[in-house]
Short mmCIF file of all heavy atoms in Angstrom, two decimals:
data_model
loop_
_atom_site.label_atom_id
_atom_site.label_comp_id
_atom_site.label_asym_id
_atom_site.label_seq_id
_atom_site.Cartn_x
_atom_site.Cartn_y
_atom_site.Cartn_z
N LEU A 1 -52.38 -37.11 -3.81
CA LEU A 1 -52.32 -36.46 -2.56
C LEU A 1 -53.58 -35.51 -2.31
O LEU A 1 -54.28 -35.52 -1.41
CB LEU A 1 -50.99 -35.67 -2.45
CG LEU A 1 -49.85 -36.32 -1.73
CD1 LEU A 1 -48.64 -35.42 -1.74
CD2 LEU A 1 -50.29 -36.57 -0.23
N PHE A 2 -53.81 -34.70 -3.36
CA PHE A 2 -54.80 -33.70 -3.38
C PHE A 2 -56.13 -34.30 -3.34
O PHE A 2 -57.06 -33.86 -2.59
CB PHE A 2 -54.72 -32.72 -4.52
CG PHE A 2 -53.56 -31.63 -4.19
CD1 PHE A 2 -52.34 -31.74 -4.92
CD2 PHE A 2 -53.82 -30.61 -3.41
CE1 PHE A 2 -51.37 -30.89 -4.72
CE2 PHE A 2 -52.80 -29.60 -3.23
CZ PHE A 2 -51.59 -29.79 -3.96
N GLN A 3 -56.33 -35.43 -4.12
CA GLN A 3 -57.57 -36.16 -4.07
C GLN A 3 -57.88 -36.66 -2.73
O GLN A 3 -59.05 -36.60 -2.19
CB GLN A 3 -57.60 -37.21 -5.21
CG GLN A 3 -57.63 -36.63 -6.52
CD GLN A 3 -57.42 -37.80 -7.58
OE1 GLN A 3 -57.03 -38.90 -7.30
NE2 GLN A 3 -57.62 -37.44 -8.87
N ALA A 4 -56.82 -37.43 -2.15
CA ALA A 4 -57.05 -38.07 -0.89
C ALA A 4 -57.37 -37.09 0.27
O ALA A 4 -57.96 -37.35 1.23
CB ALA A 4 -55.77 -38.96 -0.51
N ALA A 5 -56.78 -35.97 0.16
CA ALA A 5 -57.03 -34.87 1.19
C ALA A 5 -58.31 -34.22 1.14
O ALA A 5 -58.67 -33.36 2.00
CB ALA A 5 -55.86 -33.83 0.95
N GLY A 6 -59.08 -34.52 0.22
CA GLY A 6 -60.55 -33.88 -0.01
C GLY A 6 -60.82 -32.68 -0.67
O GLY A 6 -61.75 -32.01 -0.56
N PHE A 7 -59.73 -32.28 -1.62
CA PHE A 7 -59.95 -31.24 -2.61
C PHE A 7 -61.06 -31.56 -3.48
O PHE A 7 -61.26 -32.71 -4.00
CB PHE A 7 -58.95 -30.86 -3.39
CG PHE A 7 -57.73 -29.92 -2.55
CD1 PHE A 7 -56.92 -30.55 -1.67
CD2 PHE A 7 -57.80 -28.61 -2.81
CE1 PHE A 7 -56.07 -29.68 -1.02
CE2 PHE A 7 -57.04 -27.79 -2.11
CZ PHE A 7 -56.14 -28.18 -1.13
N PRO A 8 -62.01 -30.70 -3.85
CA PRO A 8 -63.07 -31.03 -4.72
C PRO A 8 -62.56 -31.53 -5.98
O PRO A 8 -61.62 -31.06 -6.54
CB PRO A 8 -63.92 -29.76 -4.77
CG PRO A 8 -63.52 -28.97 -3.57
CD PRO A 8 -62.14 -29.32 -3.30
N PRO A 9 -63.27 -32.39 -6.67
CA PRO A 9 -62.92 -32.87 -8.05
C PRO A 9 -62.76 -31.69 -8.97
O PRO A 9 -63.59 -30.89 -9.07
CB PRO A 9 -63.82 -33.79 -8.48
CG PRO A 9 -64.57 -34.27 -7.11
CD PRO A 9 -64.54 -33.11 -6.26
N GLY A 10 -61.56 -31.68 -9.66
CA GLY A 10 -61.22 -30.71 -10.63
C GLY A 10 -60.48 -29.52 -10.15
O GLY A 10 -60.05 -28.71 -11.01
N VAL A 11 -60.43 -29.34 -8.87
CA VAL A 11 -59.71 -28.11 -8.28
C VAL A 11 -58.20 -28.25 -8.57
O VAL A 11 -57.54 -27.34 -8.82
CB VAL A 11 -59.96 -27.99 -6.87
CG1 VAL A 11 -59.11 -26.89 -6.17
CG2 VAL A 11 -61.39 -27.47 -6.64
N PHE A 12 -57.59 -29.56 -8.56
CA PHE A 12 -56.28 -29.81 -8.96
C PHE A 12 -56.19 -30.99 -9.75
O PHE A 12 -56.76 -32.02 -9.40
CB PHE A 12 -55.44 -30.05 -7.61
CG PHE A 12 -53.97 -30.37 -7.99
CD1 PHE A 12 -53.05 -29.23 -7.73
CD2 PHE A 12 -53.57 -31.61 -8.49
CE1 PHE A 12 -51.67 -29.44 -8.04
CE2 PHE A 12 -52.21 -31.74 -8.79
CZ PHE A 12 -51.32 -30.67 -8.61
N ARG A 13 -55.77 -30.63 -11.11
CA ARG A 13 -55.75 -31.76 -12.00
C ARG A 13 -54.34 -31.85 -12.61
O ARG A 13 -53.84 -30.85 -13.12
CB ARG A 13 -56.70 -31.45 -13.18
CG ARG A 13 -58.22 -31.82 -12.79
CD ARG A 13 -58.47 -33.15 -12.33
NE ARG A 13 -58.11 -34.13 -13.18
CZ ARG A 13 -58.88 -34.85 -14.09
NH1 ARG A 13 -60.12 -34.46 -14.24
NH2 ARG A 13 -58.35 -35.95 -14.77
N TRP A 14 -53.87 -33.08 -12.66
CA TRP A 14 -52.56 -33.38 -13.56
C TRP A 14 -53.05 -33.82 -14.87
O TRP A 14 -53.91 -34.65 -15.17
CB TRP A 14 -51.93 -34.45 -12.92
CG TRP A 14 -50.73 -35.08 -13.78
CD1 TRP A 14 -49.88 -34.32 -14.55
CD2 TRP A 14 -50.43 -36.48 -14.08
NE1 TRP A 14 -49.07 -35.21 -15.36
CE2 TRP A 14 -49.35 -36.54 -14.96
CE3 TRP A 14 -50.95 -37.71 -13.53
CZ2 TRP A 14 -48.91 -37.66 -15.48
CZ3 TRP A 14 -50.45 -38.87 -13.98
CH2 TRP A 14 -49.37 -38.83 -14.91
N LEU A 15 -52.60 -33.05 -15.88
CA LEU A 15 -52.93 -33.22 -17.29
C LEU A 15 -51.84 -34.07 -17.95
O LEU A 15 -50.66 -33.71 -18.09
CB LEU A 15 -52.99 -31.91 -18.06
CG LEU A 15 -53.95 -30.79 -17.32
CD1 LEU A 15 -53.93 -29.63 -18.23
CD2 LEU A 15 -55.42 -31.44 -17.22
N ARG A 16 -52.18 -35.14 -18.53
CA ARG A 16 -51.24 -36.09 -19.20
C ARG A 16 -51.17 -35.63 -20.57
O ARG A 16 -51.75 -36.27 -21.50
CB ARG A 16 -51.79 -37.62 -19.08
CG ARG A 16 -51.84 -38.08 -17.61
CD ARG A 16 -52.19 -39.47 -17.51
NE ARG A 16 -52.50 -39.84 -16.34
CZ ARG A 16 -52.74 -41.22 -15.93
NH1 ARG A 16 -52.78 -42.17 -16.84
NH2 ARG A 16 -53.15 -41.48 -14.69
N VAL A 17 -50.38 -34.59 -20.84
CA VAL A 17 -50.38 -34.01 -22.06
C VAL A 17 -48.91 -33.71 -22.41
O VAL A 17 -48.07 -33.68 -21.69
CB VAL A 17 -51.22 -32.60 -22.27
CG1 VAL A 17 -52.58 -32.92 -21.88
CG2 VAL A 17 -50.62 -31.69 -21.20
N SER A 18 -48.64 -33.46 -23.78
CA SER A 18 -47.40 -33.16 -24.31
C SER A 18 -47.22 -31.65 -24.23
O SER A 18 -48.22 -30.82 -23.75
CB SER A 18 -47.27 -33.50 -25.91
OG SER A 18 -48.26 -32.70 -26.61
N SER A 19 -46.05 -31.20 -24.55
CA SER A 19 -45.74 -29.74 -24.56
C SER A 19 -46.70 -28.99 -25.52
O SER A 19 -47.13 -27.87 -25.38
CB SER A 19 -44.31 -29.52 -24.78
OG SER A 19 -43.46 -30.05 -23.68
N GLU A 20 -46.61 -29.68 -26.67
CA GLU A 20 -47.52 -29.05 -27.80
C GLU A 20 -49.01 -28.90 -27.25
O GLU A 20 -49.72 -27.90 -27.52
CB GLU A 20 -47.48 -29.94 -29.03
CG GLU A 20 -46.12 -29.77 -29.72
CD GLU A 20 -45.10 -30.74 -29.02
OE1 GLU A 20 -45.50 -31.64 -28.28
OE2 GLU A 20 -43.84 -30.41 -29.17
N GLN A 21 -49.64 -29.90 -26.69
CA GLN A 21 -50.88 -29.78 -26.15
C GLN A 21 -51.04 -28.69 -25.14
O GLN A 21 -52.02 -28.04 -25.09
CB GLN A 21 -51.30 -31.21 -25.62
CG GLN A 21 -51.66 -32.34 -26.59
CD GLN A 21 -51.85 -33.63 -25.88
OE1 GLN A 21 -51.02 -34.13 -25.24
NE2 GLN A 21 -53.20 -34.09 -26.10
N ALA A 22 -50.08 -28.64 -24.32
CA ALA A 22 -50.06 -27.77 -23.23
C ALA A 22 -50.05 -26.16 -23.77
O ALA A 22 -50.71 -25.28 -23.38
CB ALA A 22 -48.92 -27.79 -22.34
N GLU A 23 -49.36 -26.08 -24.95
CA GLU A 23 -49.29 -24.73 -25.54
C GLU A 23 -50.70 -24.44 -26.10
O GLU A 23 -51.13 -23.15 -25.97
CB GLU A 23 -48.27 -24.75 -26.74
CG GLU A 23 -46.85 -24.81 -26.32
CD GLU A 23 -45.85 -24.62 -27.46
OE1 GLU A 23 -46.31 -24.72 -28.65
OE2 GLU A 23 -44.70 -24.69 -27.26
N GLY A 24 -51.40 -25.42 -26.60
CA GLY A 24 -52.73 -25.18 -27.09
C GLY A 24 -53.68 -24.64 -25.98
O GLY A 24 -54.70 -23.88 -26.30
N LEU A 25 -53.45 -25.13 -24.73
CA LEU A 25 -54.31 -24.77 -23.62
C LEU A 25 -54.14 -23.30 -23.33
O LEU A 25 -55.27 -22.77 -22.74
CB LEU A 25 -54.05 -25.69 -22.43
CG LEU A 25 -54.40 -27.09 -22.35
CD1 LEU A 25 -53.81 -27.70 -21.26
CD2 LEU A 25 -55.95 -27.23 -22.55
N ILE A 26 -53.10 -22.75 -23.57
CA ILE A 26 -52.98 -21.28 -23.20
C ILE A 26 -54.02 -20.31 -23.77
O ILE A 26 -54.48 -19.42 -23.09
CB ILE A 26 -51.51 -20.82 -23.51
CG1 ILE A 26 -50.50 -21.58 -22.78
CG2 ILE A 26 -51.40 -19.35 -23.19
CD1 ILE A 26 -49.02 -21.25 -23.10
N ALA A 27 -54.47 -20.63 -24.95
CA ALA A 27 -55.59 -19.85 -25.55
C ALA A 27 -56.95 -20.24 -25.07
O ALA A 27 -57.91 -19.44 -25.45
CB ALA A 27 -55.42 -19.87 -27.16
N ASP A 28 -57.02 -21.31 -24.44
CA ASP A 28 -58.44 -21.75 -24.01
C ASP A 28 -59.00 -20.79 -23.01
O ASP A 28 -58.34 -20.44 -22.06
CB ASP A 28 -58.25 -23.17 -23.38
CG ASP A 28 -59.67 -23.86 -23.12
OD1 ASP A 28 -60.55 -23.37 -22.41
OD2 ASP A 28 -59.83 -24.86 -23.89
N PRO A 29 -60.29 -20.41 -23.25
CA PRO A 29 -60.87 -19.43 -22.21
C PRO A 29 -61.07 -19.94 -20.85
O PRO A 29 -61.20 -19.09 -19.96
CB PRO A 29 -62.27 -19.01 -23.06
CG PRO A 29 -62.48 -20.25 -23.90
CD PRO A 29 -61.16 -20.65 -24.33
N ARG A 30 -60.96 -21.09 -20.66
CA ARG A 30 -61.16 -21.77 -19.37
C ARG A 30 -59.79 -21.71 -18.58
O ARG A 30 -59.82 -22.08 -17.40
CB ARG A 30 -61.60 -23.11 -19.42
CG ARG A 30 -63.02 -23.23 -19.90
CD ARG A 30 -63.43 -24.68 -20.35
NE ARG A 30 -62.61 -25.09 -21.50
CZ ARG A 30 -62.97 -26.20 -22.27
NH1 ARG A 30 -63.93 -26.98 -21.82
NH2 ARG A 30 -62.26 -26.55 -23.22
N VAL A 31 -58.78 -21.29 -19.29
CA VAL A 31 -57.53 -21.00 -18.56
C VAL A 31 -57.34 -19.56 -18.44
O VAL A 31 -57.22 -18.78 -19.40
CB VAL A 31 -56.33 -21.71 -19.36
CG1 VAL A 31 -54.88 -21.31 -18.69
CG2 VAL A 31 -56.45 -23.25 -19.28
N HIS A 32 -56.94 -19.06 -17.28
CA HIS A 32 -56.87 -17.56 -17.10
C HIS A 32 -55.50 -17.13 -16.87
O HIS A 32 -55.29 -15.89 -16.79
CB HIS A 32 -57.83 -17.27 -15.83
CG HIS A 32 -59.29 -17.74 -15.99
ND1 HIS A 32 -59.70 -18.81 -15.46
CD2 HIS A 32 -60.27 -17.22 -16.79
CE1 HIS A 32 -60.98 -19.09 -15.79
NE2 HIS A 32 -61.41 -18.06 -16.54
#
């Protein structure tokens, strides 16, 4: 939906990740 509506690539992304992978993302400096 967001892609078809014209949101720039990367502004909204669904991540196909597990809960454990998501936990690891919290410390990533690109996540605020």
Side-chain angles (χ1 to χ4, degrees):
L1 262 173
F2 282 102
Q3 291 172 348
F7 275 85
V11 170
F12 182 99
R13 289 299 309 264
W14 166 44
L15 307 180
R16 302 184 189 186
V17 298
S18 66
S19 297
E20 291 74 20
Q21 288 173 297
E23 288 184 358
L25 288 175
I26 295 175
D28 192 295
R30 292 165 293 189
V31 171
H32 304 99

